[in-house]
């Protein structure tokens, strides 16, 4: 049974909605009345069975105006109510004068019949109509809302569809949707038929057996799964910029919500608080010059959100803003709006130039951006007039399928390319609110406890762990193996080289007068590359710092674990003002591009030729993904980056002209690979670690067991091997979980030819180490790396634990004497 009533708005929620500069989610939809009509008996009169919510036009429950419950048709599971004959049923909505509400139901009209309903401004019907919908027998329909015949639609007989009515009394707006497709929007307070000004109030719904006047049609329809909801728009963040000091930087003053394109608050990208212009009361922030301010929206994956602000562009200037799919900008654009100096404007949303508009200079107006991730829809309104609606996940400029995610707003001092206009605008009274909370995202449940496997030489050992999904959406995960570098050497990460902003940096272009360069060096050891011979060169249309890279995935690199990257070959055509080789670690499961910068080295290139850059500190190959590329500081008018003639490999054309990464081939003119090659030297180690499954999906609430296998066929006896399982998933808050794996292979042989095993775990250890054997351990002696005995004990058992309190970090040697012989093993204390 789903018939229930909930009426609540907490004091905390009201307080948060009334104040500015607030953060924190709260419930945003309250079910006032919900009914699937399953709690009633077949044949019941609805207004008799539930008089709290239902009556009839003349307030005569149980008469010919009342609707009856029926089990002949239903949306779910067995009952609905039927409107035919002289039915004139009223749903009482409470004479609301403020707030935002939804009244929705599932609706079905059989073939050969017509349908109708209307909204009343008062609970006692007959005073004033807000809307009327006529569903004609031929599948057409007409809407009276804000005037007679102001809307039209089509529908399908014998099919249940959802009718959603949204009444926003605070903004005096009404909306009607069929199956989440907007059918009409109008000013709610106007009279349905005349369009004259009327009452701003919500009274009731009239489910009436009505038809268009003179049509001669017969009304007959069914209603099921009705919901009456109050939409409690909950502010995640709101700001009128009055709490800041005039002249302060926005991202410096409020780093929780603001940053800049290159994450440098207080720089020329940051926006200044000013008191020269404001909507209310005295302050706003200004975007001009090189401003590139980011509002961080949190990488939302589900739910419905609104981001709005007051906007003013002075005469003689232009404006611009865009929405980013990710909070770290530069990965993918959702929308771009260009406000030209002549008062016209262009929108890139679902494709370049898909919308147009006009605006007035020197006048503050409201910009509303509604992002419905659950329905994959975006809407933009100026002063509550819809300017465009589109499929949110599409790329703003290309219209290609992209990410379904909300990341941030970029208030950028940008203008249309080639326009020569000057950007300058002001923003005030900003609000970020959740309209409806979406389903919880995927949440991975996986232990990070180290895995210890003791395995005889030449055999295989296994261990298991569980992966679960405790979130609300499908969890996708993969497991990548890596093998630890012997010893303690670890490459120290460098700070990534910077990059300029979008429009100043220009876009890639081929050198129009290019002569291909010489062949690459030959007769090398293992060479990582995707490119063929040099065929052309690419530069940006404007000066900029930018990066190019090739990705070598774990599936390729695992066979080379234990080797080192000793040099990189690149083809540079024109010299830039600076060049750096860059080596990156494995990237994110969720965002395109590499991960941590592992190594960076300046170099001076040969011009129009290959350059071999020998790395001062070779980079260890762990077997996981690695990215090899270079950075350059390019002046305008040159073409530094060499490319081949294709065919394209999508791992060979990565480019970054800002913080984010994308493919050069996102533009169809560029189906080529960068001339980048990495040289590996040394001897590859055995591939001894695997996980099954290593790539899987889990529905909410599901879990599965992962089996970890260790193949010791190529491992040395009396040795310890360390590796790692990287569990990567679409859980944004826990996207990368590392699980250490330690394998002990310690073997002795007795006089009967039987093998005796002694394991030492964990290794490395920091609190206690355990020795375990299938034969008696007589004596254990531990010495440090200069030969001093730090522990000695007669055990006379098959297992013992040794406390490591007071042991210094470093390498120790454990000598284990048994009846079958003596073995010595290294122990790392960390």
């Amino acid at each position: 049974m789903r018939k229930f009533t909930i009426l609540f708005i907490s004091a905390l929620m009201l307080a948060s909605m009334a104040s500015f500069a607030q953060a924190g989610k709260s419930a945003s939809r309250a079910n006032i009345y919900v009914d699937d009509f399953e709690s009633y008996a077949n044949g019941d009169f609805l207004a008799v069975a539930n008089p709290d919510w239902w009556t009839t036009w003349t307030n005569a429950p149980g008469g010919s105006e009342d609707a009856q419950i029926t089990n002949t048709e239903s949306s779910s599971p067995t009952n609905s109510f039927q409107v035919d004959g002289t039915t004139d049923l009223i749903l009482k909505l409470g004479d609301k004068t403020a707030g935002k509400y939804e009244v929705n139901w599932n609706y079905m009209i059989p073939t050969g019949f017509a349908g109708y309903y209307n909204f009343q401004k008062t609970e006692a019907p007959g005073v004033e109509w807000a809307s009327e919908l006529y569903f004609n027998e031929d599948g057409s329909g007409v809407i009276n809302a804000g005037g007679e015949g102001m809307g039209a639609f089509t529908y399908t007989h014998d099919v249940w569809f959802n009718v959603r009515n949204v009444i926003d009394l605070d903004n005096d707006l009404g909306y009607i949707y069929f199956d989440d497709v907007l059918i009409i929007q109008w000013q709610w307070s106007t009279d349905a038929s005349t369009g004259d000004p009327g009452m701003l109030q919500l009274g009731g719904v009239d489910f009436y057996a009505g038809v268009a006047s003179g049509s001669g049609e017969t009304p007959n329809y069914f209603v099921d799964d009705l919901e009456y909801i109050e939409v409690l728009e909950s502010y995640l963040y709101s700001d009128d910029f009055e709490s800041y000091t005039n002249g302060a930087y926005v991202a410096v003053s409020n780093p929780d919500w603001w940053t800049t394109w290159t994450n440098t608050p207080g720089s020329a990208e940051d926006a200044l608080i000013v008191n020269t212009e404001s909507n209310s009361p005295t302050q706003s922030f200004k975007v001009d010059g090189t401003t590139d301010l980011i509002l961080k929206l949190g990488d939302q994956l589900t739910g419905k959100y609104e981001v709005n602000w007051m906007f003013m562009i002075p005469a003689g200037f232009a404006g611009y803003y865009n929405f980013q799919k990710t909070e770290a900008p530069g990965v993918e654009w959702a929308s771009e709006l260009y406000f030209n100096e002549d008062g016209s404007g262009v929108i890139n949303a679902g494709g370049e130039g898909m919308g147009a508009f006009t605006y007035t200079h020197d006048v503050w107006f409201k910009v509303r951006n509604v992002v419905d991730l659950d329905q994959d829809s975006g809407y933009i309104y100026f002063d509550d007039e819809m300017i465009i609606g589109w499929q949110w996940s599409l790329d703003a400029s290309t219209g290609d399928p992209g990410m379904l995610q909300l990341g941030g707003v970029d208030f950028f001092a940008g203008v249309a390319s080639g326009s020569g206009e000057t950007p300058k605008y002001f923003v005030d009274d900003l609000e970020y609110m959740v309209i409806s909370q979406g389903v919880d995202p995927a949440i991975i449940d996986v232990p990070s406890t180290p895995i210890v496997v003791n395995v005889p030489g030449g055999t295989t050992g296994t261990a298991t762990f569980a992966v679960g999904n405790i979130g609300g959406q499908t969890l996708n995960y993969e497991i990548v193996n890596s093998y630890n570098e012997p010893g303690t050497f670890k490459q120290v990460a460098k700070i990534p080289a910077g990059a300029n902003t979008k429009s100043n940096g220009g876009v890639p272009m081929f050198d129009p007068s290019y002569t291909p360069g010489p062949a690459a060096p030959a007769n090398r050891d293992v060479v990582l590359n995707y490119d063929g011979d040099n065929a052309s060169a690419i530069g940006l249309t404007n000066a900029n710092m930018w990066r190019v890279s090739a990705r070598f995935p774990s599936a390729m690199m695992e066979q080379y674990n234990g080797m080192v990257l000793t040099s990189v070959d690149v083809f540079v055509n024109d010299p830039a003002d600076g060049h750096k080789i860059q080596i990156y670690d494995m990237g994110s499961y969720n965002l395109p591009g590499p991960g941590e910068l592992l190594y960076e080295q300046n170099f001076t290139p040969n011009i129009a030729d290959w350059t071999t850059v020998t790395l001062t500190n070779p980079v260890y190959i762990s077997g996981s993904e690695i990215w090899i590329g270079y950075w350059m500081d390019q002046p305008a008018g040159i073409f530094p980056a060499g490319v081949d003639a294709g065919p394209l490999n999508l791992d060979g054309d990565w480019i970054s002209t800002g913080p984010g990464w994308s493919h050069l081939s996102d533009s169809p003119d560029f189906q080529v690979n960068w001339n980048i090659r990495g040289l590996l030297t040394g001897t590859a180690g055995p591939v001894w670690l695997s996980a099954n499954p290593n790539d899987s999906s889990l529905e909410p609430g599901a879990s599965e067991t992962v089996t970890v296998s260790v193949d010791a066929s190529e491992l040395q006896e009396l040795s310890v091997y360390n590796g790692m399982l990287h569990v990567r998933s679409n859980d944004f808050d826990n996207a990368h979980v590392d699980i250490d794996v330690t394998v002990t292979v310690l073997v002795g042989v007795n006089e009967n030819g039987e093998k005796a095993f002694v394991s030492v775990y964990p290794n490395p250890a920091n609190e206690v180490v355990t020795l375990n054997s299938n034969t008696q351990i007589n004596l254990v002696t531990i010495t440090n790396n200069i030969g001093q005995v730090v522990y000695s004990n007669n055990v006379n058992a098959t297992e013992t634990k040794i406390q490591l309190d007071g042991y210094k970090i470093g390498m120790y040697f454990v000598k284990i004497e048994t009846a079958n012989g003596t073995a010595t093993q290294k122990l790392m204390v960390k």
Side-chain angles (χ1 to χ4, degrees), residues 172-399:
D172 193 10
L173 290 170
Y175 308 85
I176 298 173
Y177 300 81
F178 290 174
D179 285 334
D180 292 315
V181 175
L182 182 67
I183 304 300
I184 191 172
Q185 171 190 326
W186 78 102
Q187 184 179 345
W188 176 264
S189 63
T190 55
D191 182 85
S193 296
T194 67
D196 294 336
M199 301 175 66
L200 183 60
Q201 184 168 301
L202 171 62
V205 185
D206 181 13
F207 293 102
Y208 173 50
V211 295
S213 178
S215 68
E217 298 177 338
T218 303
N220 182 20
Y221 60 89
F222 299 85
V223 175
D224 200 358
D225 298 329
L226 184 143
E227 297 176 320
Y228 177 28
I229 298 166
E230 182 169 11
V231 180
L232 305 174
E233 295 176 334
S234 178
Y235 290 100
L236 301 177
Y237 167 60
S238 57
D239 210 332
D240 61 3
F241 307 104
E242 296 303 309
S243 64
Y244 307 98
T245 303
N246 181 44
Y249 286 109
V250 175
V252 172
S253 302
N254 192 351
D256 290 339
W257 286 99
W258 299 93
T259 186
T260 73
W261 185 267
T262 61
N263 195 25
T264 53
S267 70
E269 292 180 338
D270 209 341
L272 291 174
I273 299 293
V274 298
N275 60 14
T276 56
E277 300 285 351
S278 71
N279 180 60
S280 69
T282 61
Q283 294 192 158
S284 64
F285 71 76
K286 180 174 66 171
V287 176
D288 64 353
T290 58
T291 305
D292 208 350
L293 183 69
I294 302 295
L295 172 63
K296 300 182 286 185
L297 301 179
D299 288 335
Q300 308 292 348
L301 299 172
T302 64
K304 185 176 181 180
Y305 304 86
E306 180 175 321
V307 188
N308 65 66
W309 58 82
M310 299 303 294
F311 202 58
M312 194 274 282
I313 304 173
F317 294 96
Y320 170 92
Y321 76 87
N322 72 62
F323 269 75
Q324 297 284 310
K325 299 283 188 72
T326 57
E327 194 170 273
V331 176
E332 188 177 319
W333 281 250
S335 62
E336 295 184 285
L337 275 75
Y338 293 88
F339 298 77
N340 301 323
E341 284 186 6
D342 64 1
S344 67
V346 176
I347 304 174
N348 297 340
E352 187 171 2
M354 295 299 286
F357 59 87
T358 60
Y359 73 98
T360 303
H361 287 96
D362 297 315
V363 174
W364 286 92
F365 60 97
K366 189 172 187 177
V367 176
R368 293 178 58 222
N369 305 271
V370 178
V371 183
D372 188 343
L373 295 170
D374 296 331
Q375 301 298 327
D376 192 9
S377 299
Y379 306 91
I380 299 173
Y381 302 79
F382 290 174
D383 286 334
D384 294 315
E385 179 182 350
M386 190 168 76
I387 304 301
I388 191 172
W390 78 100
Q391 184 179 340
W392 176 265
S393 63
L394 300 179
D395 182 86
S397 295
T398 67

Side-chain angles (χ1 to χ4, degrees), residues 103-107 109 115-117 119 132-136 139-143 151-156 159-166 175-184 186 375 379:
V103 188
N104 62 68
W105 57 82
N106 287 328
Y107 201 59
I109 304 172
Y116 171 92
Y117 75 87
F119 269 75
E132 294 184 284
L133 274 75
Y134 292 89
F135 297 78
N136 302 323
S140 66
V142 176
I143 304 175
F153 59 88
T154 60
Y155 72 98
T156 303
V159 174
W160 286 92
F161 59 97
N162 184 257
V163 175
R164 181 156 60 101
N165 305 271
V166 180
Y175 308 85
I176 298 173
Y177 300 81
F178 290 174
D179 285 334
D180 292 315
V181 175
L182 182 67
I183 304 300
I184 191 172
W186 78 102
Q375 301 298 327
Y379 306 91

